[in-house]
Amino acid sequence: MGPILYLDYDGVLHPSDVRITKAEPLRPRIYQNGRPTDRLLFENAPLLACILEAFPEVRISLATSWVRILGYEFAVQQLPPALRARVVGTIWQGSMLRFPPQRRHDAITGDAEERGGGERWLALDDDIEGWPADRRHLVIAPTDSWQGLPRWRLCTTVPANWHQCQGPVE
């Protein structure tokens, strides 16, 4: 299997404050200042799809809490087809689903070891808390969890055609 991108949704593909309510349990919404907005979920997914075009061998494993809360199939179906086709699984399965670790780092590294991925993986996540300093090179973290992916500043890892990707980059 090719390299794996462990993908979080909130704070990466759209702003980080996403909530569901009892009245609408299958309608996650972006909140700002404690109020629901009409801002689109997955607004940055086309940008990620464009970036990954230069890396056709990269597969995606979902590291998002959406899998634990809303289910794997629902979480996968929210992605655009170009990203959905790359999904090979999730970290949230088996004992990880029943007994989630305190740190996402532990869940991701456990999954990478099970897949035999060694160091052939990266995590795209807005939360680097709990990542050991010597492992932070394996996580790409947007610097602004409200903007998500467009705030990604690791220019040395962006493919040469990044300027062709459309997104709200300032």
Side-chain angles (χ1 to χ4, degrees):
M1 182 177 294
I4 299 288
L5 177 67
Y6 288 95
L7 179 61
D8 182 24
Y9 288 179
D10 303 335
V12 175
L13 297 181
H14 48 246
S16 60
D17 191 1
V18 175
R19 306 177 196 180
I20 56 173
T21 63
K22 288 181 182 179
E24 298 177 296
L26 292 178
R27 186 169 184 246
R29 294 186 66 188
I30 296 169
Y31 278 65
Q32 184 174 17
N33 300 323
R35 296 177 184 263
T37 71
D38 290 327
R39 191 162 172 178
L40 293 177
L41 291 164
F42 300 95
E43 64 188 2
N44 299 326
L47 177 60
L48 179 59
C50 185
I51 291 168
L52 290 179
E53 282 179 5
F55 305 96
E57 72 282 2
V58 171
R59 299 295 168 248
I60 295 173
S61 180
L62 300 181
T64 177
S65 59
W66 283 51
V67 173
R68 287 191 356 252
I69 297 167
L70 298 166
Y72 176 75
E73 290 300 324
F74 183 88
V76 171
Q77 290 304 313
Q78 305 313 299
L79 294 171
L83 295 178
R84 192 179 319 139
R86 293 174 179 264
V87 175
V88 294
T90 179
I91 62 172
W92 304 116
Q93 54 191 341
S95 63
M96 289 288 187
L97 189 54
R98 290 188 305 279
F99 308 105
Q102 294 292 320
R103 304 179 312 172
R104 192 168 319 192
H105 165 266
D106 296 334
I108 290 173
T109 55
D111 186 78
E113 288 171 14
E114 284 182 24
R115 291 179 188 276
E119 297 291 318
R120 290 183 44 110
W121 60 270
L122 289 173
L124 183 52
D125 196 327
D126 69 321
D127 183 5
I128 61 169
E129 189 163 326
W131 284 80
D134 66 334
R135 306 288 286 176
R136 287 206 176 147
H137 66 283
L138 294 170
V139 63
I140 299 168
T143 58
D144 180 336
S145 63
W146 178 252
Q147 294 296 323
L149 190 58
R151 291 289 188 232
W152 181 29
R153 296 289 185 215
L154 298 180
C155 297
T156 58
T157 60
V158 174
N161 68 341
W162 71 271
H163 61 280
Q164 297 171 0
C165 300
Q166 299 300 311
V169 180
E170 294 176 2

